[in-house]
């Protein structure tokens, strides 16, 4: 009897655990893109933030457990609707309720610098004498940013490895100063502050 009870608990625990991966997150992102377009919102953008191999575990409000399979992905949408600038978070465990931001600064920034955001990508980490740098001395970064921008008549993507913004190899990064003056990097820092500002206000929707 005790053995049967133990097996039942294990099975119940298994059914209460979900593991969601990149494909699941991408499906949610595409679905929300379509929901914005269906509301006649054709100008918006989103950013995906992730570090390869970073796994997170969440206990959801219904008591179930959600685990990010292999890598945890956070996606943040930004758009304007009914005179408000909005933010929405999506991750491996589902969608969060949309929240209004305190002002249009992020959208103003994108509108003002749209051409720079489109045409000035982050350059990969480069050194003066790459043949003299042993692989063992190069610190490996596996964290990335991916931006998708949508306007009425256009769409484009920017993606980069955070390692390209550093000077942390055995030899200095030739593109360090250039990369850190780019508008896409400035936008990412602005998004950092907005996410921090909202903090615990992000609530999961069910």
């Amino acid at each position: 009897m005790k053995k049967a009870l133990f097996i039942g608990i294990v099975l119940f625990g298994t059914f209460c655990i979900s593991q969601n991966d990149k494909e699941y997150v991408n499906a949610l992102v595409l679905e929300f893109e379509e929901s914005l377009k269906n509301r006649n919102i054709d100008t918006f953008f989103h950013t995906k933030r992730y570090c390869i191999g970073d796994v997170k575990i969440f206990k959801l409000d219904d008591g179930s457990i959600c685990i990010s399979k292999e890598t945890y992905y956070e996606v943040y949408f930004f758009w304007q609707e009914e005179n408000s600038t909005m933010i929405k978070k999506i991750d491996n465990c589902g969608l969060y309720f949309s929240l209004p931001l305190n002002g249009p600064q992020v959208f103003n920034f994108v509108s003002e610098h749209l051409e720079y955001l489109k045409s000035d990508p982050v350059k990969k980490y480069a050194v003066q004498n790459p043949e003299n740098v042993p692989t063992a001395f190069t610190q490996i970064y596996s964290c990335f940013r991916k931006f998708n921008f949508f306007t009425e008549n256009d769409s484009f993507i920017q993606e980069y490895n955070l390692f390209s913004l550093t000077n942390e190899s055995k030899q200095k990064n030739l593109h360090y100063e250039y990369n850190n003056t780019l508008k896409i990097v400035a936008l990412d820092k602005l998004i950092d502050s907005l996410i921090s500002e909202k903090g615990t206000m992000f609530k999961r929707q069910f």
Side-chain angles (χ1 to χ4, degrees), residues 174-188:
L174 297 178
H175 300 145
Y176 174 77
E177 292 185 5
Y178 170 84
N179 285 342
N180 282 280
T181 61
L182 292 174
K183 298 303 181 185
I184 194 71
V185 176
L187 175 60
D188 193 56

Side-chain angles (χ1 to χ4, degrees), residues 4-204:
L5 179 62
F6 173 77
I7 293 173
I9 292 172
V10 171
L11 288 175
F12 179 75
T14 301
F15 285 124
C16 287
I17 294 175
S18 63
Q19 288 186 311
N20 299 322
D21 59 10
K22 181 179 180 179
E23 285 69 30
Y24 175 78
V25 176
N26 287 344
L28 293 179
V29 168
L30 288 174
E31 183 179 322
F32 194 70
E33 285 179 4
E34 288 304 310
S35 75
L36 290 177
K37 293 174 182 177
N38 290 338
R39 302 205 302 268
N40 296 317
I41 300 170
D42 53 26
T43 300
F44 59 91
F45 72 94
H46 56 78
T47 178
K48 179 185 288 183
R49 299 169 156 219
Y50 61 100
C51 296
I52 301 297
D54 180 28
V55 175
K56 293 186 183 297
I57 302 174
F58 298 95
K59 184 175 182 180
L60 306 182
D61 287 347
D62 64 0
S64 63
I65 301 298
C66 178
I67 303 173
S68 59
K69 187 178 180 181
E70 297 179 353
T71 296
Y72 178 67
Y73 297 92
E74 287 179 292
V75 180
Y76 294 90
F77 272 81
F78 298 87
W79 75 99
Q80 291 185 310
E81 188 172 19
E82 297 180 355
N83 299 317
S84 294
T85 302
M86 306 295 294
I87 182 173
K88 187 178 195 68
K89 180 179 177 180
I90 297 173
D91 68 5
N92 300 59
C93 300
L95 295 86
Y96 290 71
F97 287 107
S98 304
L99 295 172
L101 295 174
N102 299 323
Q105 64 269 37
V106 67
F107 242 82
N108 290 346
F109 184 94
V110 171
S111 297
E112 182 179 353
H113 302 295
L114 189 63
E115 287 306 312
Y116 294 103
L117 294 169
K118 182 178 181 179
S119 60
D120 293 344
V122 171
K123 295 181 179 181
K124 292 183 178 180
Y125 199 116
V127 297
Q128 191 69 46
N129 298 301
E131 66 277 5
N132 294 328
V133 181
T135 303
F137 284 96
T138 303
Q139 184 173 358
I140 302 301
Y141 271 54
S142 58
C143 295
F144 296 84
R145 297 289 188 265
K146 181 178 182 180
F147 289 83
N148 290 68
F149 295 89
F150 299 84
T151 64
E152 183 178 359
N153 301 310
D154 194 14
S155 65
F156 61 93
I157 295 173
Q158 291 284 13
E159 186 172 13
Y160 58 91
N161 189 321
L162 294 188
F163 182 51
S164 298
L165 306 181
T166 71
N167 248 334
E168 297 181 14
S169 179
K170 186 179 181 182
Q171 293 188 34
K172 290 186 177 181
N173 181 4
L174 297 178
H175 300 145
Y176 174 77
E177 292 185 5
Y178 170 84
N179 285 342
N180 282 280
T181 61
L182 292 174
K183 298 303 181 185
I184 194 71
V185 176
L187 175 60
D188 193 56
K189 291 178 181 178
L190 174 56
I191 291 171
D192 278 340
S193 66
L194 295 175
I195 293 172
S196 178
E197 177 184 301
K198 288 304 174 184
T200 57
M201 296 176 67
F202 288 109
K203 302 296 182 184
R204 295 189 182 277

